[in-house]
Amino acid sequence: MKLEVQIKMNASLYLRDPEQSELGKNIIKFSIELIHKQGFEAFTFKKLAEAIGTTEAGVYRYFENKHKLLVYIISWYWGWLEFQIGYQTKNVTNPVSKLKKVITILATTVEDDIMTGHVDESILHQILISEGSKAYLTKQVNQDNKQEYFKPYKDLCNTVGDIILECNAKYKYPHSLASTIVEVAHLQNFFMHNLPSLTDFSKSKNENQIIVFLNDLVFSSIEK
Amino acid sequence: MKLEVQIKMNASLYLRDPEQSELGKNIIKFSIELIHKQGFEAFTFKKLAEAIGTTEAGVYRYFENKHKLLVYIISWYWGWLEFQIGYQTKNVTNPVSKLKKVITILATTVEDDIMTGHVDESILHQILISEGSKAYLTKQVNQDNKQEYFKPYKDLCNTVGDIILECNAKYKYPHSLASTIVEVAHLQNFFMHNLPSLTDFSKSKNENQIIVFLNDLVFSSIEK
DNA sequence: TATTTATGATAGTAATACTATTATTTAAAA
DNA sequence: TTTTAAATAATAGTATTACTATCATAAATA
């Protein structure tokens, strides 16, 4: 028996559960590929259908529109990251080490996880960096939020916030610092590769520098 | 004579300079209104033309596409912010006070500046929060960057970076910290209003709290 | 007054974002 | 094993978007 990590998804994101069929899994697999290659704006259900070898209508049976598909994919990754954090910090008792580990996970391009067959996590990480904020930077953010579309993201930030409080129970902004860590990890990565003068890592383009920067930023604040 | 602040814009953003005609000024004015009301995704040149009382073709004579128009609007605001920072910190000699002032400017909804006739800065601030990152989170970011579309943004970050170094010449990440301040100021504002559990300001929804958070974050790091 | 230039009005095209219909295949239930 | 239901493929069609092109007219300039 092959071990599989199953991320439980919000059922109102899809019309038919993509995990339950070959076509569904292909929709996820190829949309990740296409969004990564062409960017979310240029991504269409028609192109996706062609890539899979099905028809547009076929895709529409699974997802109402490309926005929900994006939210699905991104939610999946937040869920997977949450699992990674839980798994990789399981035996870490020192909260400072734990938080450092979390920052490393958030800021590092992961290797493809063999436990999730049809998904390439390293590409998902790239998508999160470039397209992640488009999931919530919309006019429907409040409706989407009511439908719990951002729960995996909020859960993850909450987990990070709790670890921050473990480091310093008196720190006043655990939630804001948590969301800042997550977002800045991605933003600095994007800037490093695309608008390098907005970072101090333009020469090396090394992700580890983002980790060092974030560690400095975070622990200066909470250990003050 | 009425005093007017003129922000010099990158000419390759437009086909015809919108500052030079009534129609052009209306394109800017109404696109700000429409993007704010409907969001960038739902914003079209047809709707814009209808709002102005001109035709689609009329708008296309000024801007190639809505992406360039968005970049134009956002660049204008970065330019205006840079001017504000220069103006409001002119006589501030203490770099710490200067940086605090800058953080306040970045994190606060400005009042409509009477010096810029057809532009409402408080709405622009909202657009920056919700749509700002869409200007660079695209597949064409490298081309756009080569055309200097992001120069006003980079200049502003540079200014902030310089002030950081004035505070502490030995601080290692002035560029990254500068872009972090700018982005986090907007992100925390968006979260506070739309995904409040990602912040610690959900009760008050008061922008001043973002300032306090950022001051704490920034000065812990650079005064360490 | 002649001429350039900006605008308005209208038309048209390819692509996008869907919905609907019917036939066919596949899988589950009887 | 047959019946039946469910999923998919194939095709068509619509409204909207993102443009381009053409021509007439009004306003500004030479």
Side-chain angles (χ1 to χ4, degrees):
Chain A
M1 196 196 106
K2 221 169 72 186
L3 250 147
E4 285 257 334
V5 180
Q6 275 275 354
I7 310 289
K8 215 193 152 200
M9 299 299 298
N10 183 331
S12 55
L13 280 171
Y14 50 77
L15 298 169
R16 201 195 296 300
D17 184 356
E19 300 276 352
Q20 300 304 315
S21 72
E22 266 318 294
L23 179 57
K25 281 178 194 166
N26 273 327
I27 288 174
I28 303 306
K29 185 182 171 212
F30 284 92
S31 56
I32 290 170
E33 227 172 73
L34 274 178
I35 291 173
H36 178 243
K37 266 191 214 144
Q38 315 208 2
F40 185 64
E41 282 72 34
F43 169 77
T44 70
F45 276 8
K46 196 169 184 204
K47 286 176 190 168
L48 175 59
E50 268 161 30
I52 298 172
T54 182
T55 58
E56 235 182 314
V59 179
Y60 276 105
R61 255 181 253 118
Y62 281 82
F63 289 95
E64 250 178 275
N65 53 54
K66 69 175 190 171
H67 177 249
K68 288 200 177 183
L69 177 49
L70 179 72
V71 174
Y72 180 96
I73 287 169
I74 286 173
S75 296
W76 188 94
Y77 191 65
W78 290 126
W80 182 83
L81 268 183
E82 173 98 53
F83 173 83
Q84 286 298 114
I85 287 173
Y87 187 80
Q88 292 197 42
T89 63
K90 201 169 39 191
N91 301 311
V92 182
T93 46
N94 178 356
V96 171
S97 307
K98 212 193 275 186
L99 190 50
K100 280 186 178 164
K101 185 82 204 165
V102 168
I103 288 172
T104 301
I105 292 170
L106 289 171
T108 307
T109 303
V110 286
E111 282 174 50
D112 189 10
D113 183 347
I114 42 152
M115 284 161 97
T116 54
H118 55 294
V119 183
D120 184 336
E121 284 77 15
S122 70
I123 292 181
L124 267 184
H125 187 243
Q126 293 301 117
I127 290 181
L128 210 75
I129 289 169
S130 312
E131 322 288 351
S133 61
K134 294 172 192 169
Y136 58 75
L137 288 179
T138 69
K139 281 283 157 186
Q140 339 121 47
V141 59
N142 285 296
Q143 286 152 255
D144 286 1
N145 190 30
K146 272 177 203 143
Q147 301 237 56
E148 309 231 88
Y149 288 0
F150 310 117
K151 190 168 184 298
Y153 180 48
K154 298 201 282 189
D155 286 350
L156 182 113
C157 285
N158 227 52
T159 301
V160 178
D162 287 344
I163 301 173
I164 291 168
L165 287 178
E166 278 179 55
C167 292
N168 176 359
K170 285 181 181 163
Y171 181 71
K172 278 183 173 167
Y173 317 103
H175 300 93
S176 288
L177 186 58
S179 56
T180 295
I181 293 170
V182 174
E183 293 290 336
V184 170
H186 294 141
L187 267 172
Q188 290 293 311
N189 191 304
F190 185 87
F191 289 156
M192 180 171 84
H193 289 113
N194 299 288
L195 302 167
S197 73
L198 296 177
T199 71
D200 301 280
F201 325 125
S202 42
K203 273 185 191 157
S204 68
K205 301 211 175 176
N206 185 342
E207 282 174 348
N208 293 321
Q209 299 228 242
I210 300 175
I211 298 171
V212 176
F213 166 64
L214 277 173
N215 279 335
D216 180 79
L217 188 73
V218 168
F219 291 104
S220 306
S221 302
I222 63 182
E223 284 176 348
K224 194 185 43 173
Chain B
M1 195 196 106
K2 218 168 70 186
L3 249 146
E4 285 258 335
V5 179
Q6 275 275 354
I7 311 288
K8 213 193 153 202
M9 299 299 297
N10 183 331
S12 55
L13 279 171
Y14 51 76
L15 298 169
R16 201 196 297 299
D17 185 355
E19 300 275 353
Q20 301 304 315
S21 73
E22 265 319 296
L23 179 56
K25 281 178 195 166
N26 273 328
I27 288 173
I28 302 305
K29 185 182 172 214
F30 283 93
S31 55
I32 290 170
E33 227 172 73
L34 273 179
I35 291 172
H36 178 243
K37 266 190 214 146
Q38 315 208 3
F40 185 63
E41 282 73 33
F43 168 78
T44 69
F45 276 9
K46 193 167 185 209
K47 287 176 190 167
L48 174 61
E50 269 160 31
I52 298 171
T54 182
T55 58
E56 237 182 312
V59 178
Y60 276 105
R61 260 181 237 118
Y62 282 82
F63 288 96
E64 250 178 273
N65 52 53
K66 69 175 188 171
H67 178 248
K68 289 200 177 184
L69 177 48
L70 179 72
V71 174
Y72 180 96
I73 287 170
I74 287 174
S75 295
W76 188 94
Y77 190 64
W78 291 126
W80 182 82
L81 268 182
E82 172 97 54
F83 173 84
Q84 287 296 115
I85 287 174
Y87 187 80
Q88 292 197 41
T89 63
K90 201 169 38 194
N91 300 313
V92 183
T93 46
N94 177 359
V96 171
S97 308
K98 213 193 273 184
L99 190 50
K100 280 186 178 163
K101 186 82 204 165
V102 168
I103 288 171
T104 301
I105 292 169
L106 289 171
T108 307
T109 302
V110 287
E111 280 173 53
D112 190 11
D113 183 349
I114 43 153
M115 285 162 95
T116 55
H118 55 296
V119 182
D120 183 335
E121 284 78 16
S122 70
I123 291 182
L124 267 185
H125 187 243
Q126 292 301 118
I127 290 180
L128 211 73
I129 289 168
S130 311
E131 321 288 350
S133 61
K134 294 172 192 170
Y136 57 75
L137 289 179
T138 69
K139 280 283 157 184
Q140 339 122 46
V141 59
N142 284 297
Q143 286 151 256
D144 286 1
N145 190 31
K146 272 177 202 142
Q147 301 235 58
E148 309 230 87
Y149 288 0
F150 310 117
K151 191 169 183 297
Y153 180 46
K154 298 201 282 190
D155 286 350
L156 182 112
C157 284
N158 226 52
T159 301
V160 178
D162 286 345
I163 301 173
I164 291 168
L165 286 178
E166 278 180 55
C167 293
N168 175 0
K170 285 182 181 162
Y171 180 70
K172 279 183 172 166
Y173 317 103
H175 300 93
S176 288
L177 186 60
S179 56
T180 295
I181 293 169
V182 175
E183 293 291 336
V184 170
H186 294 141
L187 268 172
Q188 290 292 311
N189 191 304
F190 185 87
F191 290 156
M192 181 171 85
H193 288 113
N194 298 289
L195 302 167
S197 73
L198 296 177
T199 71
D200 301 280
F201 326 125
S202 43
K203 273 183 190 157
S204 68
K205 301 209 175 179
N206 184 342
E207 283 174 348
N208 293 321
Q209 298 228 241
I210 299 175
I211 298 171
V212 177
F213 165 64
L214 277 173
N215 279 336
D216 179 79
L217 188 74
V218 168
F219 291 105
S220 306
S221 303
I222 63 182
E223 285 175 349
K224 193 184 44 169

